[in-house]
Amino acid sequence: MKLASVELLRLEMPLVSPFRTSFGLQTGRDVLVVVVHTTDGVSGYGECVALADPVYNEEYVHGAAYVLAQYLVPPVLAEPHLTATRVAGLTHGVVGHRMAKGALELAVLDAQLRTANLSMVDYLGGVREKVDVGVSVGITDTVEELVELVGGYRAQGYRRIKLKIQPGFDVAPVAAVRAAVGSELALQVDGNTAYRAKDLGHLRQLDAFDLLLIEQPFEHDAISLHAELARRCQTPICLDESLTSAARTAEAIGAGACSVVNLKAGRMGGYLEARRAHDVATALDTPVWCGGMLETGLGRAANLALASMPGFTLPGDISASDRYYAEDVTEPFVQVDGQIAVPDGPGIGVTVREDVLADVVRSRQLIRE
Ligand code: SMG
Ligand code: MG
């Protein structure tokens, strides 16, 4: 396969409702999409999951677009025998920028699979036609508002809810939600690195609410602190931001810092590294679930394929399209009984709705050799 050109699209997608985490408020999504065009006329799409600002990790959309145009795309455009597995090697000289690299690799993979008429689920070795999904619910102004929101998602059929927490908004809201929903609904929490060592004792109070897991309470590099919490707490500890590669995942599991893995391909540099992390975690008997970054249908399609792999035994942060966007750039994903169907068409298995895309595209950059 040889690429003729690469396009970088910037989309402005308003969220149906604001989403607050311990690191800030998202009211819309500034999305970067990498589109590769092969010399055979096949196009492939890769959504970059970097946020507009460097607040979840160090990457941000503007920087990702720059590093792609300046450093990552040129060697990939020049490669005469391109495959997705070659992208990591071709871009290895650039340190970090995993989300940018992952988007480019995904676009190449999509084009490669569409050319071969093979679905991403089959390429990755997925084993499910539908996957269990949940909703990640943001921090609210009041506990009553949170209880109401959770009740609404539950009524829609979601069987697992993740609550965002931060110091000052944790034990009381979690207690109120657990009291309101009863013992059946699966609940978990995500601190997005907002806690410090002094909060260890405080976080242990979450043991009272029968949570599936506590996700990333401490900073990215605080592996031993997470291990300390895991020793002191009964609730399983899950890592997100800390897990930047398959090797890092194995180390964190080995260190006792992580007994459940949140797998996000972008955070690890792409779906091929995510597949390796899945394999490592599964070999170490550690359950995996698929994280989310408020993706459009393009990224969501790829996440559904990933989540169909055998080690994904917990519901993912992959909600129906209408939880995020009034109009999505692909056909919408619907949730039925807490599950979403995995696309089985060639590549990521979805088509771009050009009319919707035209409404949300803010810029296009075309790169040729
Ligand atoms: O895509 O449903 C989704 C969002 C899931 O909570 C979610 N993601 O730390 O896990 C996480 C966050 C990161 C993105 S928040 C803008
Ligand atoms: Mg998280």
Side-chain angles (χ1 to χ4, degrees):
M1 196 168 82
K2 171 85 178 78
L3 297 187
S5 63
V6 175
E7 268 183 288
L8 303 180
L9 308 184
R10 291 282 288 274
L11 319 181
E12 193 180 309
M13 302 276 294
L15 285 167
V16 291
S17 53
F19 186 60
R20 185 183 295 281
T21 65
S22 61
F23 59 74
L25 179 72
Q26 315 283 314
T27 54
R29 197 73 173 81
D30 177 353
V31 186
L32 171 64
V33 180
V34 179
V35 191
V36 301
H37 303 286
T38 72
T39 50
D40 292 331
V42 175
S43 301
Y45 294 83
E47 179 168 345
C48 179
V49 297
L51 299 180
D53 302 304
V55 286
Y56 163 81
N57 67 358
E58 61 277 71
E59 293 189 74
Y60 58 104
V61 173
H62 205 66
Y66 183 82
V67 86
L68 275 157
Q70 205 66 24
Y71 298 105
L72 305 177
V73 169
V76 171
L77 262 178
E79 169 60 46
H81 305 291
L82 183 62
T83 58
T85 50
R86 291 200 171 166
V87 174
L90 290 166
T91 58
H92 187 68
V94 174
V95 179
H97 296 281
R98 293 182 179 85
M99 291 174 168
K101 289 175 179 174
L104 181 57
E105 184 191 82
L106 177 57
V108 171
L109 180 61
D110 185 35
Q112 176 185 327
L113 297 180
R114 287 181 197 262
T115 304
N117 200 25
L118 182 67
S119 68
M120 188 160 166
V121 41
D122 286 343
Y123 175 83
L124 290 176
V127 294
R128 298 184 189 95
E129 289 177 6
K130 294 177 203 163
V131 299
D132 292 339
V133 298
V135 181
S136 174
V137 182
I139 292 165
T140 48
D141 288 339
T142 65
V143 170
E144 294 72 38
E145 208 181 314
L146 181 68
V147 168
E148 199 180 312
L149 266 178
V150 170
Y153 287 125
R154 190 187 191 196
Q156 287 175 27
Y158 290 104
R159 291 184 230 138
R160 185 284 258 160
I161 300 288
K162 166 164 128 181
L163 304 175
K164 290 291 191 177
I165 57 169
Q166 66 183 13
F169 190 89
D170 44 35
V171 175
V174 173
V177 169
R178 178 52 88 203
V181 299
S183 57
E184 283 290 284
L185 190 69
L187 282 181
Q188 61 192 58
V189 296
D190 186 358
N192 284 110
T193 75
Y195 292 86
R196 298 294 173 262
K198 66 175 172 47
D199 302 315
L200 268 169
H202 178 76
L203 288 165
R204 287 177 64 191
Q205 293 179 61
L206 293 169
D207 272 347
F209 310 112
D210 189 26
L211 301 176
L212 270 182
L213 56 93
I214 301 174
E215 180 179 344
Q216 195 78 43
F218 305 122
E219 287 175 288
H220 304 202
D221 54 1
I223 298 300
S224 53
L225 193 52
H226 283 103
E228 180 65 26
L229 180 64
R231 278 192 292 275
R232 295 213 213 161
C233 230
Q234 277 157 22
T235 311
I237 303 303
C238 170
L239 292 180
D240 172 359
E241 284 89 332
S242 296
L243 305 180
T244 51
S245 65
R248 193 89 179 119
T249 303
E251 278 169 21
I253 294 170
C258 168
S259 57
V260 184
V261 169
N262 169 332
L263 204 46
K264 283 181 187 165
R267 195 192 62 215
M268 293 197 168
Y271 285 82
L272 303 183
E273 184 69 6
R275 177 166 65 175
R276 286 189 280 273
H278 159 275
D279 295 349
V280 155
T282 305
L284 296 171
D285 289 326
T286 306
V288 177
W289 57 281
C290 185
M293 292 295 291
L294 308 172
E295 288 89 348
T296 72
L298 293 167
R300 192 169 316 288
N303 283 347
L304 285 160
L306 182 69
S308 73
M309 294 181 71
F312 285 79
T313 52
L314 292 170
D317 278 348
I318 315 174
S319 314
S321 304
D322 65 3
R323 179 257 177 272
Y324 308 96
Y325 304 108
E327 289 275 21
D328 206 341
V329 293
T330 64
E331 52 273 44
F333 288 104
V334 291
Q335 172 266 139
V336 180
D337 287 338
Q339 295 189 309
I340 298 183
V342 180
D344 58 3
I348 59 172
V350 283
T351 42
V352 170
R353 294 163 70 191
E354 293 294 342
D355 54 330
V356 178
L357 192 70
D359 283 345
V360 296
V361 168
R362 292 294 168 264
S363 72
R364 284 177 189 263
Q365 182 180 2
L366 184 67
I367 309 167
R368 290 184 198 277
E369 227 180 309

